[in-house]
């Protein structure tokens, strides 16, 4: 939960009334009046603190961005997640449409489904998350959309911000590594893939991408050792070899023809390493 600008409150004091003996008859009334004002001020400050999650110009949706879900909403989201995980994207979306859009958790899942379906509704939904408790997911999704359009520079901006917001999310680190690799920055790509693998030991997606990187660099011994340690299947290794070869060919083509547009010459325009779904 993001803190607002008033997260640190200065202690409030009641000033003395300065009454002499002649004001003694009114001292209790004035004291009660000041006490009443104090309660109003404290209540107002309390409301400001409770509204801390809605700061940073998130609009109407962000006011309830960090709301706790009730049991029925949690059940509906769980059912939708199961369907999406099984590849039943349309059924999952139908279940999400039963829930209110003022919940950031709902918009995040809708954005994910729309992105996988190639629908334009994904981008505004991801943007609606940027000033909520799911800002990292919003930046991640926008980065994935940019990468799918071969705009690696924009993808890098979004995914770098996502990694700063959620540095231990292995999915973000993997996708950041993919963008670095698409740009030819193999050192940073390797760093991100290793980070993703260490954050989640059974992250075969990042492992497969690192194998692709090692083959792309010609480090066959390291690639073979990693394949054996991770227990990758033969078809996965074949896929990694194919992606590495196409990345290598795309790099050669880019070096030969500097006049080609970035979209045409980008390694991501061919069979690129795998980002999260």
């Amino acid at each position: 939960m993001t803190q607002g600008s008033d997260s640190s409150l200065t202690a409030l004091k009641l000033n003395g009334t300065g009454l002499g003996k002649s004001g003694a008859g009114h001292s209790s009334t004035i004291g009660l009046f000041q006490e009443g004002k104090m309660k109003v001020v404290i209540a107002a400050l309390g409301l400001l603190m409770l509204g801390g999650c809605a700061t940073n110009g998130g609009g109407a949706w962000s006011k309830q961005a960090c709301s706790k879900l009730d049991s029925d909403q949690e059940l509906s989201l769980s059912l939708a997640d199961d369907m999406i995980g099984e590849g039943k994207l349309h059924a999952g979306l139908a279940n999400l449409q039963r829930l209110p859009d003022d919940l950031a958790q709902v918009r995040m899942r809708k954005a994910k489904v729309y992105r996988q379906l190639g629908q334009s509704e994904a981008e505004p939904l991801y943007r609606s998350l940027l000033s909520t408790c799911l800002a990292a997911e919003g930046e991640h999704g926008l980065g994935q959309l940019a990468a799918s359009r071969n705009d690696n520079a924009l993808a890098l901006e979004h995914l770098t911000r996502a990694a700063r917001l959620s540095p231990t999310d292995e999915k973000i680190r993997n996708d950041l590594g993919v963008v670095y690799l698409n740009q030819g920055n193999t050192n940073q790509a390797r760093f991100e893939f290793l980070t993703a693998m260490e954050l989640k030991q059974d992250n075969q997606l990042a492992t497969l991408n690192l194998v692709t990187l090692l083959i792309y660099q010609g480090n066959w011994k390291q690639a073979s050792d990693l394949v054996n340690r991770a227990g990758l299947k033969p078809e996965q290794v074949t896929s990694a070899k194919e992606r590495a070869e196409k990345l290598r060919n795309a790099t050669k083509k880019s070096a030969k023809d500097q006049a080609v547009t970035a979209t045409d010459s980008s390694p991501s325009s061919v069979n690129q390493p795998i980002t999260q779904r």
Side-chain angles (χ1 to χ4, degrees):
M1 178 173 179
T2 20
Q3 295 292 335
S5 57
D6 297 317
S7 61
S8 178
L9 299 179
T10 304
L12 299 176
K13 296 181 180 179
L14 288 175
N15 293 325
T17 61
L19 293 177
K21 291 182 179 179
S22 60
H26 301 286
S27 61
S28 60
T29 301
I30 293 175
L32 289 173
F33 175 70
Q34 290 176 323
E35 182 181 354
K37 289 199 297 181
M38 182 65 171
K39 289 179 179 179
V40 171
V41 171
I42 292 173
L45 290 172
L47 289 174
L48 285 174
M49 293 183 70
L50 288 173
C53 288
T55 58
N56 301 325
W61 273 339
S62 67
K63 293 178 181 178
Q64 298 184 18
C66 298
S67 299
K68 182 176 176 59
L69 302 176
D70 61 37
S71 57
D72 289 338
Q73 291 169 338
E74 288 182 348
L75 178 60
S76 295
L77 282 182
S78 178
L79 289 173
D81 286 342
D82 290 342
M83 292 178 179
I84 294 169
E86 295 170 359
K88 301 175 181 177
L89 300 179
H90 296 87
L93 181 60
N95 275 272
L96 291 172
Q97 289 169 341
R98 300 166 54 189
L99 296 167
D101 268 341
D102 60 356
L103 293 173
Q105 298 93 324
V106 173
R107 300 201 304 281
M108 183 268 288
R109 287 167 172 81
K110 281 187 175 182
K112 180 179 179 180
V113 172
Y114 281 130
R115 177 177 58 78
Q116 293 185 57
L117 292 175
Q119 301 295 315
S120 60
E121 289 91 334
E123 183 165 351
L125 285 172
Y126 278 130
R127 291 195 180 281
S128 77
L129 301 175
L130 295 184
S131 56
T132 73
C133 56
L134 296 178
E137 286 80 354
E139 294 285 7
H140 186 193
L142 291 172
Q144 290 175 306
L145 288 173
S148 70
R149 297 192 297 265
N150 301 323
D151 190 344
N152 288 310
L154 182 59
L156 184 61
E157 290 181 16
H158 285 300
L159 291 172
T160 300
R161 284 197 289 267
R164 282 200 298 263
L165 290 166
S166 185
T168 58
D169 188 320
E170 79 282 353
K171 300 180 181 67
I172 293 174
R173 305 305 288 251
N174 174 78
D175 290 357
L176 184 55
V178 168
V179 172
Y180 277 128
L181 183 53
N182 288 338
Q183 291 183 321
N185 191 340
T186 55
N187 288 335
Q188 280 299 119
R190 179 188 178 96
F191 180 90
E192 296 301 336
F193 292 147
L194 286 172
T195 301
M197 291 165 58
E198 291 181 6
L199 285 170
K200 188 176 182 182
Q201 297 297 321
D202 60 346
N203 190 338
Q204 286 206 337
L205 188 56
T207 302
L208 189 57
N209 283 332
L210 182 56
V211 169
T212 300
L213 169 57
L214 292 171
I215 295 174
Y216 171 73
Q217 293 179 315
N219 295 327
W220 291 95
K221 178 64 168 60
Q222 292 183 40
S224 178
D225 290 344
L226 180 57
V227 166
N228 292 331
R229 288 201 309 272
L232 296 181
K233 299 176 182 178
E235 56 268 27
Q236 290 176 303
V237 178
T238 299
S239 178
K241 290 178 180 178
E242 292 174 352
R243 283 195 298 274
E245 183 62 26
K246 290 185 177 182
L247 281 169
R248 192 178 296 113
N249 292 337
T251 301
K252 291 177 181 178
K253 179 182 177 181
S254 178
K256 289 179 180 179
D257 190 1
Q258 296 297 325
V260 178
T261 63
T263 299
D264 292 335
S265 63
S266 170
S268 63
S269 64
V270 296
N271 190 11
Q272 64 178 25
I274 309 169
T275 57
Q276 297 291 327
R277 296 187 63 82

